[in-house]
Amino acid sequence: MSPLDPIRSTIRDLRTYAGQTVEIAGWLYDKRSSGKIRFLVVRDGSGLLQAVLVKSMLDEPTFTRFDEVTQESAIRVWGEVREEARAPGGVEMTVQGFEIVHRAEPYPITPKEHGIDFLMDHRHLWLRSRRQQAILRVRNEIVRAAEDFLQADGYLRVDAPILTPSAVEGTSTLFETDYFDRKAYLTQSGQLYAEAAAMAFGRVYCYGPTFRAEKSKTRRHLTEFWMLEPEAAPMELPGYLDLAERLVEAIVQRVIDRRAAELEVLERDVSKLAPVRAPFPRMTYDEAIKYLNENGKPVAWGDDFGGDEETVLSARFDRPVFVTHYPTVCKAFYMQPDPNRPEVVLGADLLAPEGYGEMIGGGQRIHDLALLEQRLREHNLPREPYEWYLDLRRYGSVPHAGFGIGIERTVAWICGLDHVRETIPFPRLLNRLYP
Ligand code: 4AD
Ligand code: MG
């Protein structure tokens, strides 16, 4: 029997109840025994608690229940909270009683090593592990830090639709779906809608899932990923670079500040994150090409960079680096060509350090109606679904800019993971749609 009127707490808040009898509802993470003492390691999502069973202090049924309780059983445990400097949350519990709410079947994920496919097939359970929890808490912090930063800077969140009539980032990676008697596409980016919102509100951002039918099986590509996309009008290329570097600095410094425990679980070398302060280094695409050609990674002018080139370029710096003025042929239809040199655009990618590759893409948008119409034609895009987008160039058009930060690549970099599949609760990859 639990105490008649127990204090109920989460493990995270237990410290405030030292000396009192408290009840925790959670799951059995692990158990151990040593002589006449038994240990239940309980998790409740907020933390881990070591609950100690001493034989001489408990009745026989309670003590033997220890043998019945299985890994990941749902349990309720109550007892006195004691300060214990060596324990994870600074406290332990001396158990007065515990109950098995649901006895778990033999749990498939055990402390032994499992292959990645097995873990991915059990992603719905794998999320309970310490490491996965640390990653998702960092992800949560990144998104909150980004939104807080933008909101403080006067950016309004205006969400974009997911079902759309048109492509943003080229037609080769569109997911098509039936929309009654028409075709619709899952959005590749909320940008075009963010542009409309920027003309209404000045400073906006959208945040949501975006989709790319990526045939590539790399450690940086998902078919469904989350993007946060700020857009401002008026704004030009330098305004974008300034905003993006301040945003990334704010994200990284806040994670260092508030998620030190999680970074430690992940064994992240924080000295690699600490230097991430604005301003970030910048180089033009031409300078990047020259550097690559001099350093054993020859690239022809006009070719886009792949992961290998990005790794070589970013290895020179202790913080992210912008590559600006890419060839117009590499980039999407909406990118503003440099008026002094139309073969390159007023756009930039931000490459993360340590080989994590492109984490942000963006730039200045074409604001001239005739030029945008011409670019649509050159990209063989139908005009009709973009008619509303062209309208933005008819009514008070102004140079404007924005960018998209890929949340999963940002999480992978900040957590130091070798693949984006662990950065999102339920990853969607070329060959993974389950669970
Ligand atoms: O460079 P991208 O394609 O840019 C856009 O979509 C723009 N419309 C954004 C804008 O200007 N508002 O994608 C932006 C970022 C990339 O830098 C990368 O971080 C991420 O989105 N990204 C992906 N992340 C995971 N899996 C994929 N398949 C990704 N494709 C892009
Ligand atoms: Mg890009």
Side-chain angles (χ1 to χ4, degrees):
M1 281 288 281
S2 72
L4 276 182
D5 196 11
I7 299 168
R8 295 203 168 86
S9 173
T10 58
I11 292 170
R12 191 188 70 161
D13 294 334
L14 266 187
R15 224 186 167 139
T16 53
Y17 296 108
Q20 301 185 64
T21 295
V22 177
E23 180 179 303
I24 294 290
W27 293 265
L28 187 77
Y29 193 70
D30 196 10
K31 65 177 185 180
R32 294 193 308 279
S33 56
S34 152
K36 293 193 167 147
I37 299 184
R38 305 281 180 271
F39 300 97
L40 298 173
V41 182
V42 185
R43 61 164 195 90
D44 73 345
S46 78
L48 285 178
L49 169 70
Q50 176 151 284
V52 186
L53 286 76
V54 182
K55 194 169 165 71
S56 61
M57 291 173 64
L58 294 169
D59 55 30
E60 189 60 24
T62 303
F63 198 72
T64 52
R65 200 167 301 134
F66 175 88
D67 299 324
E68 288 159 37
V69 67
T70 52
Q71 187 187 350
E72 286 304 321
S73 288
I75 59 175
R76 293 193 308 123
V77 55
W78 56 94
E80 191 188 321
V81 176
R82 276 183 297 105
E83 304 237 14
E84 170 55 71
R86 287 164 303 175
V91 289
E92 267 187 7
M93 178 184 280
T94 306
V95 175
Q96 293 164 2
F98 82 97
E99 238 173 53
I100 302 175
V101 177
H102 177 257
R103 186 167 180 273
E105 294 177 25
Y107 194 65
I109 302 178
T110 56
K112 72 164 196 186
E113 285 279 315
H114 297 285
I116 188 68
D117 284 334
F118 179 87
L119 290 169
M120 277 293 159
D121 284 341
H122 293 84
R123 183 67 176 164
H124 51 296
L125 302 177
W126 192 23
L127 293 180
R128 301 180 188 193
S129 81
R130 227 173 146 211
R131 209 181 129 76
Q132 297 307 312
Q133 294 204 347
I135 295 168
L136 293 185
R137 282 179 200 285
V138 171
R139 179 187 173 106
N140 173 72
E141 197 66 49
I142 287 170
V143 175
R144 285 191 57 188
E147 287 209 64
D148 286 352
F149 171 85
L150 289 169
Q151 295 272 344
D153 225 24
Y155 283 77
L156 183 78
R157 177 165 167 175
V158 181
D159 292 320
I162 288 172
L163 290 167
T164 63
S166 55
V168 187
E169 297 297 324
T171 49
S172 65
T173 61
L174 280 175
F175 275 114
E176 191 178 291
T177 178
D178 286 332
Y179 193 73
F180 308 105
D181 52 354
R182 284 178 287 164
K183 295 265 173 260
Y185 308 98
L186 300 182
T187 187
Q188 295 169 310
S189 156
Q191 178 196 321
L192 308 189
Y193 297 94
E195 287 181 57
M199 296 301 166
F201 296 98
R203 296 178 169 192
V204 299
Y205 65 100
C206 58
Y207 177 54
T210 49
F211 305 85
R212 309 267 168 105
E214 301 274 8
K215 302 272 159 40
S216 36
K217 255 171 90 175
T218 80
R219 59 196 195 88
R220 295 167 180 168
H221 286 91
L222 293 156
T223 55
E224 177 177 318
F225 61 99
W226 289 65
M227 209 186 336
L228 190 133
E229 300 179 79
E231 189 77 27
M235 183 184 265
E236 298 184 22
L237 177 61
Y240 148 43
L241 302 180
D242 172 69
L243 180 69
E245 67 190 5
R246 287 188 299 120
L247 172 67
V248 172
E249 171 181 335
I251 291 172
V252 170
Q253 297 303 327
R254 176 148 145 188
V255 171
I256 292 175
D257 199 35
R258 299 204 191 168
R259 295 294 171 183
E262 283 78 9
L263 294 175
E264 201 179 313
V265 168
L266 297 167
E267 295 172 52
R268 181 64 165 119
D269 181 355
V270 179
S271 73
K272 294 247 166 60
L273 297 174
V276 178
R277 298 273 184 193
F280 295 164
R282 292 159 194 204
M283 65 174 119
T284 62
Y285 173 89
D286 288 355
E287 287 162 355
I289 288 282
K290 184 162 178 281
Y291 182 83
L292 289 168
N293 286 336
E294 287 166 3
N295 287 274
K297 274 256 167 262
V299 178
W301 198 96
D303 285 350
D304 206 353
F305 301 146
D308 291 350
E309 288 79 26
E310 290 172 352
T311 300
V312 171
L313 292 171
S314 66
R316 302 161 65 189
F317 306 101
D318 64 351
R319 61 197 77 193
V321 53
F322 285 111
V323 179
T324 67
H325 301 86
Y326 280 84
T328 309
V329 292
C330 294
K331 293 293 182 187
F333 74 93
Y334 54 74
M335 284 259 191
Q336 173 67 50
D338 185 339
N340 303 317
R341 215 188 137 199
E343 68 276 19
V344 298
V345 289
L346 299 178
D349 285 356
L350 183 67
L351 311 183
E354 301 172 70
Y356 283 93
E358 180 199 330
M359 59 184 292
I360 286 181
Q364 209 175 307
R365 324 304 190 185
I366 292 175
H367 57 277
D368 178 72
L369 179 61
L371 180 55
L372 188 56
E373 288 173 323
Q374 182 198 325
R375 298 290 288 146
L376 281 174
R377 281 193 302 273
E378 285 166 7
H379 281 251
N380 288 317
L381 291 165
R383 186 185 165 110
E384 195 239 20
Y386 297 93
E387 219 36 83
W388 67 272
Y389 185 65
L390 294 169
D391 263 357
L392 305 177
R393 281 75 186 165
R394 291 190 180 102
Y395 307 106
S397 191
V398 65
H400 59 288
F403 63 94
I405 175 167
I407 296 302
E408 289 73 19
R409 291 193 190 168
T410 307
V411 176
W413 163 48
I414 293 179
C415 290
L417 308 178
D418 58 17
H419 198 294
V420 287
R421 66 190 157 210
E422 288 179 52
T423 64
I424 182 164
F426 295 98
R428 297 292 173 248
L429 298 156
L430 183 57
N431 46 15
R432 178 160 298 280
L433 192 58
Y434 176 93

